[in-house]
Amino acid sequence: MKKNIYLVLVLCFISCDGPEPRRPIKVKTGSYIKQSIERNKLLLAKEESTIQAIIKKDSTHTYVTGTNGSWYYYNTKNEQEKQTIQPDDLVTMRYSLLNLNNDTIYGFNDIGTIQYKVDKQELFLGLRTSVKLLKENETATFFFPSSLGYGYHGDDHKIGTNVPLKAVVSILKVEKDSILN
């Protein structure tokens, strides 16, 4: 009888593999990410189409395509100045933000005059790259798709989700980085 009990115990220990891990009920395939990418592509195409329609209707300005996916025209151009703004320059500037229907979101007085150390301080992406396209005493009007503005999140105040922006940017003064000069 003792041999049978030992034999049963030995067989139990040998046949037990331990706990088997549970398999997930849902297998994630990355389809959410793929859907999000497609949604963003469609949104960008729609916003760019709207901006292109505005440009096409505007016969009074000559538009330039920015390096970052924006479009702009000069309100005031400084032909005498040869050098554009570079990283580490200290820029004194003013800007206003409007929606594509020309409704003011933030006026010049709302934002005020700011000093911006180029590429060292936070500005929204479109403005950060566009400042470097201008020179001292120039003003330009930029059109940004929402991905270059405040994107999906907005600014938590007046700019909502996925709002394309129109920005009027005036460069008042540029102090060149003294290390480079």
Side-chain angles (χ1 to χ4, degrees), residues 39 50 77 109 116:
R39 243 187 340 268
T50 302
K77 192 166 171 101
N109 293 334
Y116 169 61

Side-chain angles (χ1 to χ4, degrees), residues 15 96 130 140 142 149:
S15 65
S96 65
S130 296
F142 291 86

Side-chain angles (χ1 to χ4, degrees), residues 149-163:
Y150 288 88
Y152 177 74
H153 189 267
D155 76 339
D156 292 331
H157 300 288
K158 294 182 179 181
I159 301 173
T161 300
N162 296 324
V163 175

Side-chain angles (χ1 to χ4, degrees), residues 95 114 116-117 119-125 127-128:
Y95 68 96
I114 64 167
Y116 169 61
K117 184 80 167 175
D119 289 346
K120 301 297 180 194
Q121 290 175 266
E122 277 300 311
L123 290 176
F124 67 88
L125 179 60
L127 186 58
R128 196 168 56 233

Side-chain angles (χ1 to χ4, degrees), residues 87-157:
D88 294 321
D89 288 350
L90 184 63
V91 175
T92 303
M93 62 186 266
R94 294 175 53 103
Y95 68 96
S96 65
L97 295 176
L98 301 93
N99 65 23
L100 296 185
N101 294 323
N102 286 324
D103 298 323
T104 301
I105 301 170
Y106 294 108
F108 286 110
N109 293 334
D110 296 328
I111 298 169
T113 302
I114 64 167
Q115 286 195 318
Y116 169 61
K117 184 80 167 175
V118 178
D119 289 346
K120 301 297 180 194
Q121 290 175 266
E122 277 300 311
L123 290 176
F124 67 88
L125 179 60
L127 186 58
R128 196 168 56 233
T129 56
S130 296
V131 164
K132 293 183 271 187
L133 298 172
L134 300 176
K135 300 176 243 176
E136 189 171 84
N137 297 318
E138 286 188 333
T139 300
T141 300
F142 291 86
F143 290 85
F144 303 114
S146 62
S147 59
L148 296 177
Y150 288 88
Y152 177 74
H153 189 267
D155 76 339
D156 292 331
H157 300 288

